[in-house]
């Protein structure tokens, strides 16, 4: 970034690791080497260390890559269970999507797998495993990948990445309950310790008049903050990493796996403070602070609109789109579930015997080498689809589709601006329409990103033929 960025480092103790791990000796070919394993980290206010699962020595980890440039990432599995890496939101080849048994064999403990792709779209994306995710994500096994686009150079004076996560830990740093049947069947389990970049409401310095970009990502498995700013007016300029027509920030919901890029101009008065809030409860929770200090930046920058170059994504043909429905259900009426569960080996870590949720009345409570259900629908590559999602449950669900970026085109309940996304939040009893063009052939997962919902039935896939 600009000089400004270098002058104003994050004041918090654990500033983001901005780039890759150094290449490991002997592994000369990959651009990045990520070794998943248990590493102790220090969480704020905890008396002892927390045994996190991480991909690197620093948490959170952010990789920066360039749009359309090939990148290779070697994954080494130092965990005691098999794993893989799903590149959430990146429209990359099916074989690189990182879903065990669907797109690749699971990577066994001690084994390696090299991912290689050229990310087609700029923005902020997410990566994580795709099995036993309630354990893995609760232990912090997640990372961020920022795809840079030369079109965005010089648009902002400063940017900060804000990774939101609750830790399910006790005061001594050891883990608390990660899931229960009761919470899995409701809104999910919440952690006690709410962090941003692994800290409690970290503070950053910004100069008066600075054009500031906040790249926010929610890597939590359950929490849905409502983002708002105090002390400055903000615009939402990208959703799930994709540029949108800017709209004013006002209690924007950021479900698990969702991203929002916020833009604002820092006020002129030195000593002003801007805060990023979660306004879900009547008393806002401060997620991050921005302290205005130093020499003001020139007036000239303040008149340019706060916006990104338009997204360049396949545009669905709404007039000729094929229409499909996706019903989110609680409880299960599918007699096949009992049969299906019998197919699972007792010790398969990706599966569960608990079933609380369904898609189109069918549940898929986890993955296994055997027992894959039928697809939710069969699509054609290049054909446009409109999927009407109906949430018939009393809970909220951030629904994610792999391998595609869809357009959210309307809701029965809310005034949602048209925007691109790969994960969209459904309110109870809401009907919401998304549209997209069928992508690369393959089986692409569709699931709720409240991980306890995903792992107790709210999961399926579209087959693109
Ligand atoms: Cu972020 Cu299927 O996942
Ligand atoms: Cu859900």
């Amino acid at each position: 970034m600009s000089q400004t960025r270098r002058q104003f480092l994050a004041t918090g103790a654990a500033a983001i690791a901005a780039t890759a791990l150094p290449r490991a000796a002997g592994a000369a070919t990959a651009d990045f080497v990520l070794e998943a394993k248990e590493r102790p980290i220090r969480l704020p206010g905890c008396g002892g260390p927390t045994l996190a699962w991480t991909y690197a020595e620093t948490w959170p980890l952010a990789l920066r890559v360039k749009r359309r440039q090939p990148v290779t990432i070697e994954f080494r599995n130092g965990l005691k269970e098999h794993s893989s890496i799903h590149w959430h939101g990146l429209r990359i080849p099916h074989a690189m999507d990182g879903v065990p048994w669907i797109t690749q064999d699971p990577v066994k403990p001690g084994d390696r797998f090299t991912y290689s792709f050229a990310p087609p779209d700029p923005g902020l994306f997410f990566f994580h495993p795709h099995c036993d995710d309630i354990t893995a994500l609760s232990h912090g096994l997640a990372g961020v990948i920022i795809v840079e686009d030369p079109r965005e150079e010089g648009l902002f004076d400063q940017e900060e990445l804000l990774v939101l996560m609750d830790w399910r830990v006790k005061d001594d740093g050891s883990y608390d309950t990660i899931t229960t049947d009761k919470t899995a069947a409701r809104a999910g389990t919440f952690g006690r310790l709410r962090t941003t970049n692994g800290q409690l409401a970290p503070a950053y310095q910004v100069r008066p008049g600075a054009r500031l970009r906040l790249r926010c990502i929610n890597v939590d498995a359950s929490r849905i903050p409502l983002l708002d700013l105090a002390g400055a007016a903000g615009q939402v300029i990208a959703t799930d990493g994709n540029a949108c027509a800017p709209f004013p920030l006002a209690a924007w919901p950021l479900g698990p796996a969702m991203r929002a890029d916020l833009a604002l101009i820092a006020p002129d008065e030195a000593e002003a403070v801007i805060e990023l809030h979660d306004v879900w409860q009547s008393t806002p929770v401060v997620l991050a602070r921005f302290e205005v200090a130093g020499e003001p930046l020139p007036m000239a920058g303040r008149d340019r609109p706060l916006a990104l170059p338009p997204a360049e994504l396949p545009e669905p043909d709404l007039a000729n789109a094929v229409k499909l429905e996706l019903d989110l259900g609680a409880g299960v009426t599918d007699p096949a579930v009992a049969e299906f569960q019998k197919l699972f080996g007792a010790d398969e870590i990706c599966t569960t015997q608990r079933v609380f949720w369904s898609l189109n009345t069918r549940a898929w409570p986890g993955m296994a080498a055997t027992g894959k259900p039928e697809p939710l629908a069969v699509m054609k590559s290049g054909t446009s689809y409109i999927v009407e999602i109906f949430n018939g449950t009393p809970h909220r669900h951030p629904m994610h589709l792999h391998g595609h970026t869809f357009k959210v085109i309307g809701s029965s309940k809310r005034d949602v601006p048209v925007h691109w996304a790969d994960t969209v939040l459904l309110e109870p009893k809401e009907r919401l329409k998304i549209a997209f063009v069928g992508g690369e052939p393959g089986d692409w997962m569709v699931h709720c990103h409240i991980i306890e919902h995903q792992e107790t039935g709210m999961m399926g896939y579209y087959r693109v033929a």
Side-chain angles (χ1 to χ4, degrees):
M1 278 242 32
S2 63
Q3 286 219 307
T4 318
R5 178 67 188 85
R6 266 179 251 126
Q7 285 159 9
F8 289 84
L9 292 172
T11 52
I16 297 270
T19 46
L21 288 179
R23 282 178 204 189
T29 52
D31 297 311
F32 297 92
V33 175
L34 304 183
E35 185 179 18
K37 62 176 194 181
E38 191 175 78
R39 295 180 177 92
I41 62 168
R42 250 355 234 229
L43 289 169
C46 288
T50 298
L51 292 175
W53 295 6
T54 66
Y55 288 112
E57 297 303 326
T58 42
W59 196 100
L61 174 69
L63 309 181
R64 281 187 179 262
V65 299
K66 299 224 177 316
R67 184 183 189 194
R68 297 186 181 128
Q69 302 279 306
V71 58
T72 52
I73 303 169
E74 183 181 300
F75 168 59
R76 298 180 179 179
N77 187 1
L79 300 168
K80 293 191 186 70
E81 60 182 48
H82 70 68
S83 194
S84 60
I85 301 182
H86 167 54
W87 305 94
H88 179 125
L90 291 180
R91 295 185 305 123
I92 56 177
H94 188 255
M96 295 292 117
D97 197 46
V99 183
W101 296 294
I102 308 288
T103 72
Q104 68 171 96
D105 287 336
V107 183
K108 298 203 187 74
D111 278 0
R112 303 173 178 196
F113 185 90
T114 299
Y115 294 92
S116 62
F117 49 79
D121 308 312
L124 173 59
F125 301 93
F126 183 20
F127 61 91
H128 58 79
H130 220 277
C131 172
D132 193 24
D133 272 3
I134 191 59
T135 315
L137 280 174
S138 303
H139 285 67
L141 194 60
V144 166
I145 181 162
I146 292 176
V147 182
E148 294 174 343
D149 185 347
R151 295 182 305 159
E152 295 176 10
E153 264 161 37
L155 289 180
F156 294 91
D157 298 311
Q158 183 173 346
E159 77 168 49
E160 298 297 344
L161 171 64
L162 304 170
V163 180
L164 310 180
M165 177 171 159
D166 286 9
W167 291 84
R168 290 151 183 75
V169 291
K170 301 185 200 137
D171 289 342
D172 65 0
S174 67
Y175 286 98
D176 210 339
T177 309
I178 279 168
T179 179
T180 66
D181 283 2
K182 195 172 159 194
T183 48
R186 295 185 172 82
T189 309
F190 295 96
R192 174 190 64 87
L193 185 63
R194 298 193 59 177
T195 62
T196 300
N197 295 339
Q199 303 166 55
L200 295 175
Y204 302 86
Q205 291 203 329
V206 300
R207 283 169 61 183
R211 297 166 61 84
L212 182 60
R213 176 185 195 173
L214 305 178
R215 299 189 190 247
C216 306
I217 176 167
N218 181 2
V219 306
D220 194 60
S222 311
R223 175 93 56 190
I224 306 174
L226 292 179
L227 298 184
D228 221 330
L229 283 170
Q235 303 278 322
V236 178
I237 58 166
T239 47
D240 291 352
N242 310 286
C244 58
F247 59 90
L249 173 69
W252 182 251
L254 200 72
M258 292 169 72
R259 290 88 70 207
D261 283 45
L262 313 179
L264 60 105
I265 300 205
D268 254 327
E269 319 84 68
E271 288 172 43
V273 173
I274 307 158
E275 287 181 342
L276 180 67
H277 286 170
D278 170 7
V279 296
W280 168 248
Q281 278 146 341
S282 52
T283 314
V285 174
V286 182
L287 301 174
R289 291 163 54 82
F290 304 90
E291 298 166 355
V292 181
E295 279 302 298
L297 282 162
M299 288 302 285
R302 310 183 195 185
D303 303 329
R304 283 184 287 132
L306 289 167
L308 293 170
E312 297 172 324
L313 289 158
E315 188 67 46
D317 173 359
L318 298 184
N320 297 300
V322 176
K323 297 198 172 64
L324 295 171
E325 283 181 20
L326 183 65
D327 278 354
L328 317 185
V332 168
T333 48
D334 183 357
V337 166
E339 274 314 297
F340 183 67
Q341 286 186 312
K342 285 187 206 147
L343 297 170
F344 295 155
D347 57 2
E348 178 46 66
I349 59 158
C350 299
T351 62
T352 174
Q353 299 298 313
R354 308 179 300 156
V355 176
F356 303 120
W357 306 97
S358 65
L359 291 179
N360 290 351
T361 71
R362 234 173 37 203
W364 185 13
M367 292 181 232
T370 53
K372 186 174 166 187
E374 289 300 302
L376 292 164
V378 179
M379 302 180 162
K380 281 206 199 82
S381 184
T383 297
S384 292
Y385 293 87
I386 295 177
V387 180
E388 181 168 315
I389 312 175
F390 174 59
N391 177 9
T393 81
H395 294 283
R396 296 181 297 160
H397 304 283
M399 296 302 299
H400 173 47
L401 168 61
H402 285 210
H404 296 74
T405 304
F406 51 78
K407 206 169 209 180
V408 178
I409 56 174
S411 154
S412 61
K413 268 190 101 162
R414 293 178 292 152
D415 209 4
V416 185
V418 172
H419 64 278
W420 293 105
D422 53 59
T423 308
V424 67
L425 189 70
L426 275 283
E427 295 289 339
K429 309 299 169 199
E430 182 175 24
R431 272 179 199 284
L432 188 137
K433 284 186 188 164
I434 63 169
F436 57 92
V437 181
E440 202 187 290
D443 290 346
W444 296 103
M445 303 300 295
V446 177
H447 60 84
C448 180
H449 227 289
I450 289 180
I451 302 297
E452 287 162 284
H453 295 178
Q454 173 191 4
E455 293 193 344
T456 57
M458 199 173 258
M459 179 165 72
Y461 65 94
Y462 287 139
R463 173 163 293 161
V464 177

